């Protein structure tokens, strides 16, 4: 009899455990872990800010990916990080399409060569003769603010080179990998418990003590979900502030000027597009903000530049002042289509490049 009661207890516990996991999976974590939602919602298990992202492209001209390039005239080459490789998802995820449409340009997007930084990649394109072969009007280097100093302010392979054939072979094979690929998760998984644990701990800590995602209230509604007054941002937006120092930013600016000078000998302009961090852009609107301000743009603006500098913080701050919602995706580290549309309508290359 005792063994029978024990078996009933175990069976009941397993049933409750299974039903609990299935319910949490269907109500919350399935969409977070296998749906096309933003990286912040997924990493922080925050369902209230999640926005499904269905890719739609409705611009007249589209850029060319390196794997699809078969030669021919190019107006602009772009090298960057996830912002340059469709990381935003949703409507018009590649900002290069805005450049192409607004300026009537042929725009080619290249991923960084092998494991090199964007700056070293452009030096390799220059030294290998690749840029001499295709002669674009400009090269645009993009870097998200939190990684700009680290990736662009260190030692750059100015003299690094590779054979032209190797470079062309690499880009003919380097296809764009989608940001998100649905997983094969079973409904019983550790994410279900994390969802409840994080929801509880966020009551006591902006980042649930150990989550990579911060959640803070805003003084004004600037998003279309979560009541409009909740901000999610990545922990590295704060961590990177420690390297946003004048000496490091001057070194980064020097590296950019060095590249700009090398490109100018070929009649090619250099454009630098630092994508402002979400925390830095929305920081002034955080209610009772206890965190430091990022001085990156303040330190970079006054420096002498041989390149075209696109001040994304200044441009997009103007949109926030006008009350534009979802300049950045509510649930993601990346901007929405509204940001590049405004940026490249403001900075028109056909007007500033010969």
């Amino acid at each position: 009899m005792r063994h029978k009661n024990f078996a009933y207890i175990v069976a009941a516990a397993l049933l409750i455990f299974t039903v609990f996991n299935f319910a949490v999976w269907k109500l919350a974590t399935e969409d977070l872990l296998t749906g096309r939602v933003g990286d912040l919602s997924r990493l922080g298990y925050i369902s209230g800010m999640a926005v499904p992202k269905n890719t739609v492209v409705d611009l007249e001209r589209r850029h060319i990916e390196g794997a699809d390039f078969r030669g021919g005239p190019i107006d602009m080459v772009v090298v960057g990080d996830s912002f340059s490789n469709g990381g935003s998802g949703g409507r018009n995820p590649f900002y290069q399409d805005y450049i192409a449409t607004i300026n009537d340009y042929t725009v080619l997007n290249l991923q960084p060569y092998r494991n090199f930084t964007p700056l070293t990649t452009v030096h390799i394109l220059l030294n290998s003769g690749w840029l001499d072969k295709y002669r674009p009007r400009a090269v645009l280097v993009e870097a998200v603010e939190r990684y700009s100093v680290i990736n662009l302010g260190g030692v750059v392979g100015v003299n690094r080179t590779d054979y032209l054939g190797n470079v062309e072979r690499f880009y003919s094979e380097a296809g764009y990998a989608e940001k998100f690929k649905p997983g094969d998760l079973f409904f019983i998984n550790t994410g279900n418990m994390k969802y409840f644990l994080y929801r509880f701990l966020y009551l006591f800590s902006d980042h649930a003590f150990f989550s990579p995602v911060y959640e803070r209230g805003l003084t004004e509604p600037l998003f279309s979900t979560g009541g409009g007054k909740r901000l999610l941002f990545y922990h590295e937006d704060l961590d990177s502030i420690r390297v946003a120092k004048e000496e490091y930013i001057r070194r980064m600016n020097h590296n950019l000027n060095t590249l700009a000078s090398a490109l100018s000998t070929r009649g090619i302009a250099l454009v630098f597009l630092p994508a402002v961090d979400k925390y830095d852009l929305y920081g002034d609107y955080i209610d009772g903000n206890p965190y430091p301000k990022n001085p990156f743009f303040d330190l970079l603006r006054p420096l002498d530049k041989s390149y075209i500098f696109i001040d994304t913080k200044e441009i997009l701050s103007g949109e926030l002042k006008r009350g534009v919602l979802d300049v950045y995706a509510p649930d993601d580290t990346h901007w929405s289509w509204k940001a590049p549309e405004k940026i490249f309508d403001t900075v028109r290359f056909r007007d500033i490049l010969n």
Side-chain angles (χ1 to χ4, degrees), residues 43-46 198 202 207-214 235:
L43 292 170
Y45 294 88
I46 301 171
Y198 278 24
Y202 270 118
H207 61 109
F209 296 107
F210 48 77
S211 169
V213 179
Y214 280 71
H235 74 101

Side-chain angles (χ1 to χ4, degrees), residues 274-290:
V276 59
D277 287 340
K278 194 175 184 181
Y279 166 76
D280 192 11
L281 181 62
Y282 288 90
D284 290 342
Y285 297 90
I286 294 177
D287 190 11
N289 188 1

Side-chain angles (χ1 to χ4, degrees), residues 113-281:
Y113 185 63
R114 303 194 186 280
N115 293 318
F116 295 115
T117 67
L119 284 191
T120 297
T121 294
V122 179
H123 279 290
I124 291 172
L125 294 175
L126 181 63
N127 297 337
S128 68
W130 191 96
L131 289 174
D132 287 327
K133 181 176 180 178
Y134 295 107
R135 308 292 289 186
R137 302 185 192 190
V139 172
L140 185 150
V141 170
E142 174 273 321
V144 68
E145 179 183 359
R146 60 182 169 272
Y147 300 141
S148 290
V149 172
I150 295 172
N151 289 337
L152 309 183
V155 177
V156 176
V158 174
N159 297 317
R160 188 176 292 275
T161 190
D162 204 340
Y163 292 111
L164 176 60
N166 289 345
V167 174
E168 293 192 317
R169 189 176 305 109
F170 173 82
Y171 284 113
S172 69
E173 298 170 356
Y176 164 65
E178 283 194 22
K179 173 191 173 186
F180 174 80
K181 292 185 178 180
D184 297 322
L185 287 176
F186 187 54
F187 72 85
I188 298 178
N189 61 81
T190 58
N192 295 333
M193 291 305 300
K194 285 183 179 179
Y195 175 78
F196 270 93
L197 178 62
Y198 278 24
R199 286 297 85 214
F200 175 70
L201 294 179
Y202 270 118
L203 297 174
F204 307 98
S205 166
D206 290 347
H207 61 109
F209 296 107
F210 48 77
S211 169
V213 179
Y214 280 71
E215 180 178 8
R216 290 287 301 190
L218 296 171
T219 57
E220 298 180 26
L222 293 171
F223 295 102
S224 59
T225 60
K229 298 175 72 172
R230 294 168 64 195
L231 175 70
L232 305 183
F233 61 92
Y234 194 44
H235 74 101
E236 290 188 358
D237 287 7
L238 294 179
D239 296 344
S240 66
I241 294 176
R242 60 185 174 80
V243 297
K245 298 180 179 179
E246 184 175 5
E247 63 175 301
Y248 301 147
I249 291 176
R250 283 188 176 276
R251 189 181 306 162
M252 179 189 72
N253 187 64
H254 171 75
N255 289 342
L256 288 163
N257 282 335
T258 298
L259 178 57
S261 297
L263 291 173
S264 68
T265 64
R266 308 300 211 284
I268 302 171
L270 175 65
V271 180
F272 178 42
L273 176 71
V276 59
D277 287 340
K278 194 175 184 181
Y279 166 76
D280 192 11
L281 181 62

